Amino acid sequence: MQTFKINKLVTIILIFIICILLIFASNNIYKKFLKVGNTKYNAKIENNENKNINLSNEDKENINQKLNYSIQNPLRIILNFESLDIDYETNLLNEEKNRFEIAWQNILKDANYSDKISWNTDENGQEKVGNASINYDEFKAYYEKILDNKLDEENLRAGNIYNGILIKDNNLYGSYIENWNNSEFVLKANNLSFNKASNIYTLNVDFLTSLNSDKTINYDNLSSIYSYDVLNYDSNVKYANLEIKYKKINNEYKLLSIIFNE
C-alpha cells in the first residue's frame, strides 16, 4: 500500500516536470518560428514603431538652418506661394520638376561644386545673365545622392522645369535667381521621430506665414521670425504642417518625401 502511494507521487511529479518542459520547449519553438533574420520576434514589433527624438533648442536651430539652406528656396519655386495654393497629402517629390528644383538649387549653393559651375554663359559660350551650367554627369550623381530617385534624361527634358533647361554636349543649362528677397513663408522644426526598421526619419515642420486681410503676404510680421534661431512664435502664423521623410546614410541625407498636411 505504501509502495503504491510512493509510485503514485513519483508519477505525479514526473508528469508535472514533463508539462513544464513541454511549455518551455513550445515557447522556444514559437520564438524561433517568428524570428526575422537575426531579429527576435518581439524586436520586430518594437522596431516598427516611430520613436520620438528629443530635440534641444540647439538641435532645432541647426535643423532650421538646414531647412533654410536646402529646402526654403526650392519650395519657393515649387509652390509659387503668393497664390496661397498648396496640394495637401501629396508627395511633392513625385514630380520630376520638383525633384529637379531640390537638386538644382542645392548644387548651385554647394561649395564643393562652386568650381564646377559656369555662370552667366549660354550653351553657345555667349554671355547670358541668370544662366548657369554644370556637367550633366556631375549633376546626375548629385541628384541621386540627395534624392531617392534615379535621374532619367528623357523625364528631365519632359519635366516642365521652371524657366526651362537645356542639355547639350553633356552639359546641363538652367537658370538661377540672384536676389531672392524676403520669403513668403518660414520653416521651423517642430518634432523628429525615427523608425529603426525602415531607417527613416520623419521631421515635422511648421510652415509659417502671415496674411493681411486681403490675403496678401504680410512681410513685416514675418521678418521677426525669419532667423533660424527664433523658436517662439504665435500659433496664428502657422499655415500648414510640412512632413519631411529622409534617410541618413554615412552622414549624408537622402530625401524620400515632402508632404503638406493641414
Side-chain angles (χ1 to χ4, degrees), residues 216-232:
T216 56
I217 307 295
N218 188 324
Y219 292 95
D220 289 337
N221 283 353
L222 281 180
S223 63
S224 62
I225 57 174
Y226 276 138
S227 180
Y228 60 83
D229 57 355
V230 175
L231 303 179
N232 298 311

Side-chain angles (χ1 to χ4, degrees), residues 15-158:
I15 292 173
F16 180 75
I17 292 172
I18 289 170
C19 288
I20 291 175
L21 290 174
L22 286 173
I23 292 171
F24 179 78
S26 62
N27 190 46
N28 279 342
I29 291 171
Y30 178 71
K31 289 181 180 180
K32 288 180 180 178
F33 179 75
L34 289 180
K35 273 190 175 183
V36 179
N38 293 322
T39 305
K40 291 184 179 179
Y41 71 108
N42 59 348
K44 183 183 177 184
I45 297 173
E46 292 173 358
N47 289 343
N48 276 335
E49 297 177 354
N50 283 340
K51 300 293 185 182
N52 288 329
I53 298 174
N54 291 326
L55 296 177
S56 66
N57 286 345
E58 184 180 1
D59 292 332
K60 288 187 176 182
E61 289 176 15
N62 289 334
I63 295 173
N64 290 344
Q65 189 173 27
K66 289 182 174 68
L67 289 170
N68 183 270
Y69 184 88
S70 301
I71 302 296
Q72 183 89 19
N73 288 343
L75 266 186
R76 294 182 70 183
I77 293 176
I78 291 168
L79 294 179
N80 188 23
F81 185 64
E82 286 186 348
S83 63
L84 306 182
D85 186 23
I86 287 180
D87 289 329
Y88 292 100
E89 312 297 335
T90 301
N91 182 7
L92 297 178
L93 299 184
N94 286 343
E95 293 191 61
E96 181 60 69
K97 64 179 182 179
N98 297 340
R99 295 196 297 268
F100 170 82
E101 291 301 343
I102 294 285
W104 180 247
Q105 297 302 328
N106 274 274
I107 201 171
L108 292 181
K109 294 173 66 176
D110 195 321
N112 295 318
Y113 290 82
S114 58
D115 61 341
K116 300 177 181 180
I117 297 172
S118 296
W119 302 94
N120 301 317
T121 305
D122 68 11
E123 67 277 11
N124 299 313
Q126 303 297 314
E127 182 179 358
K128 185 177 181 181
V129 177
N131 214 53
S133 64
I134 189 171
N135 177 272
Y136 177 78
D137 293 331
E138 289 274 10
F139 177 76
K140 184 175 187 292
Y142 186 86
Y143 176 109
E144 294 177 0
K145 181 179 75 170
I146 69 170
L147 297 168
D148 194 37
N149 301 85
K150 296 295 183 183
L151 179 60
D152 180 86
E153 185 174 328
E154 184 176 344
N155 289 341
L156 188 59
R157 291 180 185 273

Side-chain angles (χ1 to χ4, degrees), residues 199-218:
N199 192 35
I200 293 176
Y201 290 87
T202 301
L203 174 66
N204 284 297
V205 177
D206 288 343
F207 182 92
L208 312 177
T209 193
S210 180
L211 303 178
N212 297 310
S213 58
D214 61 354
K215 300 300 182 182
T216 56
I217 307 295
N218 188 324

Side-chain angles (χ1 to χ4, degrees), residues 4-16:
F4 174 77
K5 288 182 178 180
I6 293 172
N7 289 340
K8 185 177 180 181
L9 179 61
V10 170
T11 301
I12 292 172
I13 292 172
L14 286 173
I15 292 173
F16 180 75

